[in-house]
Amino acid sequence: MVSPLVVPVIDVQNDNFKELWPAMVLAIKTASFVALDTELSGLGNRKSLLAESIEDRYRAICQAARSRSILSLGIACFKRLQDKAAETYLVQVYNLTLLCSEEYVIEPQSVQFLVQHGFDFNKQYASGIPYLKGNGKGPSDDQGVHIRALFTDLLRARKPVVFHNGLIDIAFLYQSFYSHLPERLDTFTANLSEMFPAGIYDTKYVTEFELRLTASYLEYAYKKCKLDNSRLVTSGGTGPHVHAEFCQYAGHMSRYVDYRVCPDVASAEGPTDICQRFSAFGWCPDGAQCPLSHDTDLIILQDEKGTGDKRKRKKRIRNKKRGRGEAEDDPSICDGAPEHKILHTEAVPGETPAEPCPERGPLVDRGGKTLRSEAVDMEADGEGNGVSGDDHDCRNPVAAATDDVTNAKNDTNESREEDGGRGPLSDSPPKAEAPKTKADPGTHRAGFDAFMTGYIFAHSCTLIKKEGVSAVEKKEEETEKKEKEEQSWLPTCLNKVYLSGKATPLNVVKSTFARSSKAHVQKMSTVWGGAV
């Protein structure tokens, strides 16, 4: 039986930031890929964020990033261990509590949501790591120990970066730790393509258009991937599977560690009615007051049970359509919106969001017409998954994520490099687990969300293999293989960011008609050639 994951998340604050700095930098530099997540003070007007014009959407995101702030940042560093069986990763997770030193807007709905999920504003204002937004303020980006320098080190590492529904996260990171956001979207994507040469990946896009899961909100996607991975392990099959290992934190380092327990998916005791809105969107406006079940485990098991049952599947679709109609009465719910950020948006009375597909969230054309209705019908018959065979070029990456912050100490990282320090995470003593509630503050943090995002990505990479790669390779081939994987882990998902309600993704590329911004060119000269 596979043991439940116990994830050590290192809490990074202003008072231990310098102490943990060397460990964080080393973890980033030696990682195979880095997963990121943010917790924000708000997003502003939701109607503008879902504007028909993508350029208008980008302007709304820029306005939000300039006026709001990042409250916490989650960093999960996944280092693939070539000398281990299966797809084994050494994982280090950091949860950084941040405090913007400038005036910024914080929305009441955001405060309410964050407090319900255990965010400590007293700790943030007392111990948050200070930072200044934009560029040309405070210490140089490549000098000293501060969050902007850490972001510069991330760029210098040239590692693939992974988000879940990440467009908004990327924009906030850019504005907060890099430079002022450019006015034009094509300039922004041109800059990003140079900032992250190893690529940007979005697990929302991966789960919808590669894994093609029934739902794609973060908790569902993570638990489904973990369940499928556990089955590969317990079945004794030869197929590839993911194994996560963690550093052992002892002594005074243990004071900084927050253990997050993620039990395996288990059957619920007795029949339970599922909240269809939560099942479809990963969020319910009634929250803990909802009389129906928000148990993601139960939702996953019922989805799997109903896969081959046409009548039950059709009923599920009808129920979700009914739930969708209810969702339209609540402007907080929108296609593709991550559950942890929906409440950060400003409700717009009378606004109708883009209709999500009963199972996965639809693609719609510019006129708002839902596409792939034939695929939905196919899904109702139990023969498909909501994506037709003609949609391979319409894969959409997403934009958003949550934050939690974690870090590790320098000597711990050194011991990890020298003697392994790679005990299974189940060997780490978990903290007492609080009773589970619908808004469980025990798992909803930026750092843990970053870990879930990275785990989904690692699992996806084991399922979507390049053809022609032998099971056993010579040692001299390992280096070349590693370089190729790090350049493009999932080629079909590279640099594609999901756009809600659109049939095509945002491609993070430099167009022949777009130029990089002057501020970006100056920054990159410091990043790639600047002396520390």
Side-chain angles (χ1 to χ4, degrees):
M1 186 68 182
V2 178
S3 301
L5 282 178
V6 181
V7 182
V9 179
I10 312 244
D11 193 16
V12 186
Q13 303 174 40
N14 195 40
D15 56 1
N16 63 4
F17 187 44
K18 289 185 179 180
E19 178 186 358
L20 297 171
W21 172 273
M24 289 188 290
V25 172
L26 181 60
I28 291 172
K29 288 183 177 180
T30 59
S32 300
F33 65 86
V34 179
L36 302 172
D37 191 71
T38 64
E39 202 74 75
L40 311 175
S41 70
L43 289 179
N45 188 294
R46 175 182 161 273
K47 183 176 182 180
S48 300
L49 295 174
L50 294 176
E52 184 69 22
S53 166
I54 301 304
E55 197 71 42
D56 289 343
R57 289 193 191 187
Y58 173 69
R59 281 193 286 269
I61 292 173
C62 287
Q63 183 178 3
R66 290 164 183 162
S67 57
R68 275 76 174 170
S69 73
I70 299 177
L71 303 180
S72 62
L73 171 65
I75 303 176
C77 301
F78 283 70
K79 178 182 179 181
R80 187 176 178 186
L81 304 177
Q82 299 292 343
D83 58 340
K84 292 281 187 175
E87 300 287 325
T88 302
Y89 292 87
L90 178 66
V91 186
Q92 296 182 74
V93 187
Y94 301 90
N95 186 42
L96 292 81
T97 301
L98 307 179
L99 181 62
C100 182
S101 298
E102 306 171 70
E103 291 185 357
Y104 62 90
V105 175
I106 182 165
E107 298 169 11
Q109 288 179 321
S110 295
V111 174
Q112 182 182 30
F113 175 80
L114 292 171
V115 169
Q116 288 174 349
H117 289 81
F119 188 87
D120 190 341
F121 280 94
N122 288 331
K123 183 177 74 172
Q124 186 215 5
Y125 283 102
S127 307
I129 302 167
Y131 73 91
L132 293 165
K133 294 193 292 184
N135 56 314
K137 301 176 182 179
S140 174
D141 289 2
D142 63 341
Q143 295 178 358
V145 178
H146 52 89
I147 190 65
R148 295 174 67 89
L150 185 65
F151 187 75
T152 298
D153 280 332
L154 173 64
L155 299 181
R156 286 177 176 164
R158 299 176 185 244
K159 304 295 182 180
V161 290
V162 186
F163 299 88
H164 187 84
N165 203 7
L167 179 59
I168 293 174
D169 296 278
I170 296 170
F172 268 78
L173 290 171
Y174 190 109
Q175 176 69 28
S176 299
F177 310 138
Y178 186 67
S179 178
H180 291 299
L181 285 161
E183 296 300 324
R184 292 176 55 86
L185 177 61
D186 56 1
T187 304
F188 177 58
T189 55
N191 293 352
L192 289 177
S193 67
E194 295 177 344
M195 293 168 62
F196 301 103
I200 295 173
Y201 295 88
D202 193 317
T203 53
K204 172 97 170 171
Y205 168 75
V206 174
T207 53
E208 286 205 3
F209 295 93
E210 290 294 340
L211 301 186
R212 303 187 178 186
L213 302 183
T214 302
S216 59
Y217 51 90
L218 184 59
E219 182 183 4
Y220 182 102
Y222 168 67
K223 287 194 171 183
K224 182 65 168 69
C225 288
K226 185 173 179 294
L227 175 62
D228 291 344
N229 188 75
S230 297
R231 286 169 175 166
L232 288 173
V233 176
T234 55
S235 65
T238 58
H241 59 273
V242 173
H243 178 65
E245 294 187 354
F246 302 87
C247 296
Q248 300 298 301
Y249 302 105
H252 76 284
M253 273 296 296
S254 60
R255 297 178 302 172
Y256 307 145
V257 182
D258 182 12
Y259 292 98
R260 298 284 159 180
V261 181
C262 182
D264 288 333
V265 173
S267 300
E269 297 181 359
T272 307
D273 292 330
I274 290 176
C275 171
Q276 295 302 323
R277 282 188 290 190
F278 188 89
S279 173
F281 306 108
W283 178 82
C284 170
D286 296 333
Q289 303 303 317
C290 180
L292 303 176
S293 174
H294 292 178
D295 189 336
T296 308
D297 294 356
L298 180 62
I299 293 170
I300 292 174
L301 292 174
Q302 287 208 1
D303 282 348
E304 292 185 340
K305 183 179 179 182
T307 299
D309 191 322
K310 295 182 181 180
R311 288 199 309 171
K312 289 184 178 180
R313 196 160 181 80
K314 288 180 179 180
K315 181 179 179 180
R316 168 79 183 275
I317 291 175
R318 287 196 300 271
N319 289 338
K320 282 204 170 184
K321 286 182 178 179
R322 203 170 292 123
R324 179 186 63 201
E326 295 172 358
E328 290 175 352
D329 295 333
D330 190 326
S332 297
I333 298 179
C334 61
D335 171 35
E339 69 279 8
H340 50 277
K341 285 189 177 176
I342 292 176
L343 285 181
H344 295 193
T345 58
E346 179 178 324
V348 182
E351 180 193 355
T352 302
E355 287 189 356
C357 167
E359 295 293 334
R360 330 172 24 262
L363 298 179
V364 298
D365 62 17
R366 290 179 175 271
K369 180 181 178 181
T370 301
L371 303 177
R372 297 189 313 210
S373 58
E374 295 179 0
V376 175
D377 293 337
M378 211 165 73
E379 180 182 24
D381 293 333
E383 300 172 358
N385 52 22
V387 182
S388 69
D390 298 329
D391 290 322
H392 297 298
D393 295 330
C394 298
R395 298 170 177 140
N396 307 346
V398 221
T402 38
D403 341 50
D404 224 44
V405 194
T406 22
N407 45 14
K409 193 181 177 182
N410 189 27
D411 56 359
T412 303
N413 281 275
E414 290 175 350
S415 64
R416 176 205 67 192
E417 294 298 321
E418 295 171 1
D419 58 22
R422 301 165 181 163
L425 57 100
S426 57
D427 291 343
S428 303
K431 291 184 177 179
E433 191 174 7
K436 186 174 181 181
T437 61
K438 290 179 181 176
D440 186 0
T443 57
H444 189 83
R445 299 290 178 85
F448 189 74
D449 286 357
F451 166 76
M452 290 193 290
T453 299
Y455 187 94
I456 294 168
F457 183 71
H459 174 74
S460 303
C461 290
T462 66
L463 299 181
I464 308 171
K465 287 287 185 181
K466 296 180 181 178
E467 296 181 359
V469 178
S470 59
V472 179
E473 297 181 341
K474 296 179 180 179
K475 290 183 179 180
E476 54 267 24
E477 294 175 339
E478 288 296 331
T479 300
E480 181 180 357
K481 177 186 175 184
K482 181 179 178 182
E483 290 176 352
K484 288 182 179 179
E485 286 179 343
E486 289 184 352
Q487 289 173 1
S488 183
W489 290 70
L490 296 174
T492 57
C493 305
L494 177 64
N495 288 337
K496 293 181 179 179
V497 179
Y498 174 83
L499 295 172
S500 178
K502 296 296 180 180
T504 55
L506 174 65
N507 292 305
V508 181
V509 297
K510 186 173 183 178
S511 167
T512 54
F513 303 102
R515 294 183 178 180
S516 300
S517 65
K518 183 178 179 180
H520 163 71
V521 171
Q522 294 173 345
K523 287 285 183 182
M524 291 308 294
S525 131
T526 301
V527 170
W528 301 133
V532 179

